[in-house]
Amino acid sequence: MAATSAGKTYHHGDLRNALICAAVDLATAGGPERVVLREAARRVGVSPTAAYRHFEGRGELLRTVRNHARRELAASMERAAAREPGADDPVLAAERRVAALCRGYVGFAVEQPGLYRAAFCAAHPAAAGEPEPGRATAEPEIRAFTLLREALEALARLGAGRPGARPATGAAAWSAVHGLSLLLADGPLRRLSAHGRSVVVDATLAMVVSGTTTV
Amino acid sequence: MAATSAGKTYHHGDLRNALICAAVDLATAGGPERVVLREAARRVGVSPTAAYRHFEGRGELLRTVRNHARRELAASMERAAAREPGADDPVLAAERRVAALCRGYVGFAVEQPGLYRAAFCAAHPAAAGEPEPGRATAEPEIRAFTLLREALEALARLGAGRPGARPATGAAAWSAVHGLSLLLADGPLRRLSAHGRSVVVDATLAMVVSGTTTV
DNA sequence: CCCGTAATGTTCATGCGGTTAACTTCGGGC
DNA sequence: GCCCGAAGTTAACCGCATGAACATTACGGG
């Protein structure tokens, strides 16, 4: 039977994916706290507990959404970088790439605040103790950060000779872009007009691209 | 009767404050999502619904905690700035003040991650529509930001003559410090060693203090 | 072609948290 | 002394996460 379309079979056929999609929709609409197992099941037309056949629980579902969101974020950055026209001057090109990646990052956060928040949600919404002291589960690496860091390193290599205008460290740049995104998407700057927003974004990008670092 | 101490009267005498304290403790220990009305009431030794005599509901309690946390954050910044030794050079002094404020900010976030997150929680943990289009309720102003902005303005005024080394815009600086705080307190950088942390903080501060801005 | 088994869903039940409604106690003003 | 309103209390409803026991179906031997 056509698993995903026919519909009325007892066995759904692709529940896991269906639940993920529903959960992503929920996160998109209302952020990570809105990712509710029962609601996702309801939307897929299945009983609440069916989800437990495919996920450990809400936590794992949320983690899956988080990973999805992180991929989307990185994709948004790469799209923005790809749109950027090249430049003859390699330094200029590198600067533009950094700026474009950052714009893609912030743009994603502003256009998809719910997903963006989900991308960085703790996934431990109520865990008290430190369940993992050994940390066997390595964090899966966040591509958005890697992209940014590599672009900055490239820029730093090119501009090594110029005095006092080295770009920011990867982590410093990430901090700036991440903080800006949260302030704009969900925080105190959320009500800024499009113009006000672009002013703030430009100022932050300038700081990131040309800021000096002591390290 | 001694309102806050005697204890066993039917009427508590200072329930509102007691609940706020309990809620602050909860946020301190586990962040805003742990601020649970029933638990706060339990700790104070009162029935869950008693809280409704003093708060509209969980939302208002959480907002109260948030305001408390914001005050604490600003206080941490001012303490750090006050500890900072003066300097003969006014520019240097201004730079030091900015850096000290930032350190106070990040320090608070790292030492009190739960409270810090509470300071910026949306307080609309499950609100779908936009209940307030007119926005009559002006946001109460966030002192942490004001402190930072003013210090940066002072620095910018002093350093107006120097070429290519203007400090960051208030919003850009706030972005950097806020993002750094979240990454360190609760985000992907939360497992950094004290040393790694200080490297990242220094790099970010350098970017903030000496970064150029186009605006 | 039939059957057993495991995978996949379902129903019931428990416990927690937010919130409302209706009742109770107590501190004071008259 | 009495009555009222503020501050608490109990009971009840709803949604959510989760676990246990039961039902249905797909499928790979025989």
Side-chain angles (χ1 to χ4, degrees):
Chain A
M1 81 234 67
T4 44
S5 57
K8 290 301 183 174
T9 47
Y10 186 92
H11 284 64
H12 181 286
D14 195 25
L15 226 203
R16 182 165 220 276
N17 275 321
L19 285 172
I20 293 175
C21 291
V24 167
D25 286 350
L26 287 171
T28 301
E33 56 274 348
R34 280 282 198 75
V35 175
V36 157
L37 225 105
R38 289 178 101 101
E39 175 63 20
R42 216 172 291 140
R43 293 190 176 198
V44 173
V46 94
S47 84
T49 52
Y52 287 86
R53 295 288 174 208
H54 302 274
F55 300 93
E56 267 180 25
R58 189 192 119 115
E60 194 188 336
L61 180 58
L62 192 51
R63 233 171 300 138
T64 308
V65 171
R66 191 193 61 177
N67 293 339
H68 173 85
R70 287 181 178 181
R71 279 194 300 274
E72 294 278 305
L73 172 61
S76 169
M77 294 170 74
E78 290 184 316
R79 271 197 307 276
R83 268 199 305 275
E84 193 73 8
D88 291 340
D89 178 6
V91 173
L92 182 57
E95 282 185 356
R96 279 197 190 158
R97 177 171 168 82
V98 170
L101 288 172
C102 290
R103 280 179 203 285
Y105 189 111
V106 178
F108 180 79
V110 169
E111 281 159 30
Q112 302 282 323
L115 263 194
Y116 181 74
R117 276 194 300 133
F120 292 100
C121 68
H124 57 29
E130 330 297 304
E132 356 88 289
R135 288 304 296 156
T137 51
E139 304 267 344
E141 185 237 5
I142 296 167
R143 240 172 88 61
F145 180 38
T146 306
L147 284 171
L148 187 54
R149 181 166 38 72
E150 290 176 352
L152 283 163
E153 282 168 3
L155 176 56
R157 271 195 300 277
L158 287 172
R162 299 177 307 152
R166 263 192 291 169
T169 299
W174 191 15
S175 293
V177 173
H178 183 57
L180 180 59
S181 295
L182 284 173
L183 292 177
L184 288 174
D186 195 46
L189 302 186
R190 112 191 65 111
R191 306 189 187 289
L192 233 51
S193 66
H195 176 258
R197 202 155 55 210
S198 93
V199 167
V200 173
V201 170
D202 288 345
T204 306
L205 288 200
M207 176 179 81
V208 168
V209 172
S210 323
T212 59
T213 71
T214 52
V215 185
Chain B
M1 82 231 66
T4 42
S5 58
K8 287 301 183 175
T9 48
Y10 186 94
H11 284 61
H12 181 286
D14 196 24
L15 226 203
R16 182 165 221 276
N17 275 322
L19 286 172
I20 293 175
C21 291
V24 166
D25 287 350
L26 287 171
T28 301
E33 56 274 347
R34 281 284 198 75
V35 175
V36 157
L37 225 112
R38 287 178 105 106
E39 175 63 20
R42 219 171 288 141
R43 293 190 175 198
V44 174
V46 95
S47 83
T49 54
Y52 287 85
R53 294 286 173 208
H54 302 275
F55 299 93
E56 265 180 28
R58 188 191 121 117
E60 194 188 336
L61 179 59
L62 192 51
R63 233 170 301 140
T64 307
V65 171
R66 190 192 61 176
N67 293 339
H68 173 86
R70 288 180 178 182
R71 279 194 298 274
E72 294 278 305
L73 173 61
S76 168
M77 294 171 73
E78 290 184 315
R79 271 197 307 275
R83 270 198 304 274
E84 193 72 8
D88 291 340
D89 179 6
V91 172
L92 183 57
E95 281 184 358
R96 279 197 190 158
R97 177 170 167 82
V98 169
L101 288 172
C102 290
R103 280 180 203 284
Y105 189 112
V106 178
F108 180 79
V110 169
E111 282 160 30
Q112 301 283 322
L115 263 194
Y116 180 75
R117 277 194 300 134
F120 291 100
C121 69
H124 57 30
E130 329 299 305
E132 358 90 288
R135 288 307 293 154
T137 52
E139 303 270 343
E141 185 238 4
I142 297 165
R143 240 172 88 61
F145 180 37
T146 305
L147 284 170
L148 186 54
R149 181 165 39 73
E150 289 176 353
L152 282 164
E153 282 168 4
L155 176 57
R157 270 195 300 278
L158 288 172
R162 299 178 305 155
R166 263 191 294 169
T169 298
W174 190 15
S175 293
V177 173
H178 182 57
L180 179 60
S181 296
L182 284 173
L183 291 177
L184 288 173
D186 194 46
L189 302 186
R190 106 191 70 109
R191 307 190 186 287
L192 233 50
S193 66
H195 176 258
R197 204 156 52 211
S198 92
V199 167
V200 174
V201 170
D202 288 346
T204 305
L205 289 199
M207 177 179 80
V208 168
V209 172
S210 325
T212 58
T213 71
T214 53
V215 183

